[in-house]
């Protein structure tokens, strides 16, 4: 089973998603990817975010671990600390094409139901950890 790590990154009332088109399917994912040999899930989440969306993040608590298709996935709350959000210079930026399209975007949480977020379990997770839905002292990384 492949090990993956992904990040929940919020900006006020928005969540960072990567809108994808691949093999004729449109969907959205959280930034993340495979864990490399010798890397912890948290280290992988930070590296993948930098590669995919050009942001350096502080990785906080792990909020979900699940098996999805042939992946064992780790999800972390993260806070952007440096960089300008754009498609990064990693593999996604290199292989970006009409057939395999990557478009990182800040998506307003009020529009979350309008995107085909996969896996579906993430929709509730994104809402559960959204900073503006909690009192300030309840949000911890």
């Amino acid at each position: 089973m492949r090990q993956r790590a992904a990040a929940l990154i919020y900006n006020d009332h928005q969540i960072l998603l990567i809108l994808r088109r691949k093999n004729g399917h449109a969907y959205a994912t959280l930034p993340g990817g495979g864990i490399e040999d010798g890397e912890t899930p948290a280290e992988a989440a930070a590296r993948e975010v930098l590669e995919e969306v050009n942001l350096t993040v502080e990785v906080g608590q792990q909020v979900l671990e699940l098996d999805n298709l042939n992946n064992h996935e780790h999800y972390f709350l993260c806070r952007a600390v440096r960089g300008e959000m754009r498609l990064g210079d990693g593999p996604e930026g290199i292989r970006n094409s009409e057939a395999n399209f990557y478009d990182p975007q800040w998506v307003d949480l009020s529009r979350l139901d309008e995107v085909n977020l996969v896996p579906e379990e993430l929709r509730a997770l994104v809402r559960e950890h959204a900073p503006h839905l909690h009192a300030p002292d309840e949000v911890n990384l």
Side-chain angles (χ1 to χ4, degrees):
M1 187 169 280
R2 183 171 174 238
Q3 297 287 315
R4 293 187 77 252
L8 284 84
I9 306 168
Y10 295 93
N11 181 18
D12 293 323
H13 295 72
Q14 300 173 320
I15 182 76
L16 181 57
L17 298 178
I18 299 180
L19 306 182
R20 296 285 322 272
R21 279 195 318 270
K22 184 176 179 184
N23 300 326
H25 299 287
Y27 59 96
T29 63
L30 293 169
I35 299 172
E36 296 178 355
D37 287 342
E39 199 173 40
T40 68
E43 291 167 340
R47 177 185 49 77
E48 286 288 339
V49 169
L50 183 60
E51 288 178 1
E52 291 184 2
V53 296
N54 194 50
L55 293 175
T56 300
V57 294
E58 179 182 291
V59 179
Q61 92 181 72
Q62 181 170 314
V63 293
L64 179 66
E65 194 170 333
L66 69 87
D67 291 331
N68 175 40
L69 303 173
N70 289 324
N71 297 308
H72 184 76
E73 300 177 338
H74 305 262
Y75 292 88
F76 294 89
L77 287 177
C78 295
R79 180 174 53 230
V81 294
R82 189 171 44 256
E84 181 181 336
M85 196 281 288
R86 63 169 173 78
L87 183 59
D89 299 325
E92 292 75 15
I94 294 167
R95 66 179 179 241
N96 191 40
S97 68
E98 280 300 313
N100 189 20
F101 186 72
Y102 297 82
D103 183 17
Q105 289 189 17
W106 292 109
V107 174
D108 195 277
L109 293 168
S110 67
R111 295 186 43 237
L112 193 58
D113 288 333
E114 298 173 22
V115 297
N116 180 21
L117 183 60
V118 294
E120 178 62 35
E121 295 92 334
L122 297 182
R123 198 174 309 278
L125 184 74
V126 166
R127 285 191 172 107
E128 177 183 346
H129 293 283
H132 78 280
L133 298 177
H134 305 282
D137 61 349
E138 292 181 60
V139 179
N140 296 310
L141 278 183

